[in-house]
Amino acid sequence: MRVAVVGAGAIGAYVGAALHRAGVEVHLVARGPHLEAIRRDGVRVLSPRGDFTARPPATDDPREIGPVDHVFLGLKANAYASCGPILAPLTTERTAVIAAQNGIPWWYFHRLPGPYEGHRVETVDPGGAVTAAIPPERAIGCVVYAATEIAAPGVIRHLEGTRFSVGEPDGTVSDRCRAFSEAMVAGGLKCPVEPDLRKDIWIKLMGNIAFNPISALSRATMLDICRYRDTRELVITMMRETLDVAERLGCRPGISIGRRLAGAERTGHHKTSTLQDLEKGKPLELDVILAAVVELADLTGTRVPALRAINAVAGLTNEKITAAARSAVPA
């Protein structure tokens, strides 16, 4: 098996290091000081489960790698539409793309029986740009339950969790999913193949849709949000509205709001990825997490006043960050 990790950041480099440890031929695609450090010292993983170092080859030019069996996509979802040129040298008709993204994936309605089969979610796949870059039939869904961060260039701190649930959009348990799952398990990770990955998508989304935008707007950690009465109530309301949308689409995640809140509270003073991006002046990954669910609420006729209000304020915040980032780029 040949695997390319495109976007070998906190999650991507962690997965690449684990696969390399399992004996898989892994190639990392990274850039900048992070790439330089990996080339020099390998990927150093600091983990409560035991530190280790892996030395897979790394490059910023996918043409040096050539076609692979699987591409693990560690990019933020807002970069998917422009990743076609990166993927082209890596893929053939048989290459699977494991998209480790938060929120609603562009393939959500691909081969999903029902009234919305084949529907395109505009906020996730504007003008079909993501579908053009990554055809849905090539996609394997992936819901990430691991938490990692880049402690320094080339150094990944694993905070908690080792589960990467994968699944086909059509619900089949395919050979390509099994092969990737077995390689991940050999590398010390959990990687169940789920016949209905959409349940996992909504379970994780329940937390992301509330904590990510609220943390960015308040500059608060997850524990802060849980312990402050009014934001805790807002989280509960947003989770309830999210479950209403999921149910209208025929998906019942099977987890209570109380249990989801308790899990978030256990993470302690953790900064969400959205808050971390805000602090770095990076665009916020909110379209697939929040705006997409508001769009699905409109599609299904579901009332979501709390989601709609937070989406408006978070959207304006993101617009200001994006404008500032554009103006900072030299002409």
Side-chain angles (χ1 to χ4, degrees), residues 8-315:
I11 286 293
Y14 177 61
V15 168
L19 289 172
H20 186 268
R21 185 167 62 167
V24 175
E25 183 186 343
V26 181
H27 299 264
L28 307 185
V29 180
R31 62 184 181 180
H34 189 54
L35 171 60
E36 294 173 11
I38 292 172
R39 281 173 163 169
R40 183 181 63 248
D41 304 317
V43 178
R44 295 168 54 207
V45 177
L46 310 177
S47 171
R49 304 174 72 239
D51 300 347
F52 69 96
T53 298
R55 299 181 181 277
T59 181
D60 58 0
D61 185 355
R63 291 173 298 181
E64 295 179 359
I65 302 170
V68 296
D69 301 301
H70 295 79
V71 173
F72 183 89
L73 205 54
L75 301 171
K76 291 290 181 72
N78 50 20
Y80 283 11
S82 59
C83 74
I86 300 174
L87 294 179
L90 302 171
T91 55
T92 67
E93 290 183 358
R94 300 185 63 181
T95 301
V97 177
I98 297 98
Q101 71 162 92
N102 288 322
I104 301 296
W106 81 101
W107 53 260
Y108 189 88
F109 292 106
H110 178 62
R111 295 182 181 172
L112 178 65
Y116 305 115
E117 183 173 3
H119 177 81
R120 179 170 56 83
V121 184
E122 181 65 24
T123 46
V124 172
D125 188 10
V130 178
T131 292
I134 317 169
E137 58 270 16
R138 186 168 285 168
I140 291 176
C142 178
V143 178
V144 178
Y145 293 96
T148 59
E149 63 183 12
I150 298 178
V155 182
I156 307 300
R157 179 175 289 113
H158 171 225
L159 303 171
E160 63 174 357
T162 60
R163 182 177 162 197
F164 294 76
S165 297
V166 298
E168 294 282 358
D170 64 2
T172 59
V173 179
S174 65
D175 289 341
R176 65 182 190 171
C177 275
R178 284 198 202 94
F180 184 75
S181 171
E182 289 168 4
M184 292 279 277
V185 171
L189 304 177
K190 296 177 182 177
C191 190
V193 180
E194 301 289 354
D196 187 0
L197 190 69
R198 290 175 179 84
K199 286 185 178 179
D200 284 70
I201 288 170
W202 286 103
I203 288 171
K204 187 169 185 192
L205 185 55
M206 283 173 66
N208 287 149
I209 203 169
F211 288 104
N212 287 45
I214 292 174
S215 69
L217 295 171
S218 64
R219 273 66 166 182
T221 67
M222 292 178 70
L223 187 59
D224 292 332
I225 295 167
C226 287
R227 287 184 172 175
Y228 186 67
R229 184 190 63 185
D230 290 347
T231 50
R232 185 182 183 91
E233 288 301 315
L234 178 57
V235 167
I236 291 170
T237 299
M238 293 175 73
M239 286 185 175
R240 187 176 296 123
E241 290 179 0
T242 301
L243 287 175
D244 287 345
V245 175
E247 189 164 345
R248 290 288 187 96
L249 291 171
C251 186
R252 294 172 176 79
I255 187 171
S256 69
I257 290 174
R259 183 178 166 192
R260 195 67 184 85
L261 258 177
E265 199 163 4
R266 283 194 300 272
T267 63
H269 287 293
H270 172 67
K271 293 183 179 181
T272 68
S273 59
T274 305
L275 176 55
Q276 292 178 48
D277 285 343
L278 177 80
E279 292 177 341
K280 296 172 184 174
K282 293 182 177 180
L284 310 182
E285 188 187 31
L286 291 176
D287 285 347
V288 296
I289 290 173
L290 179 55
V293 178
V294 173
E295 182 181 338
L296 294 177
D298 291 338
L299 178 69
T300 58
T302 311
R303 290 191 70 254
V304 290
L307 294 180
R308 200 175 297 278
I310 295 297
N311 183 52
V313 182

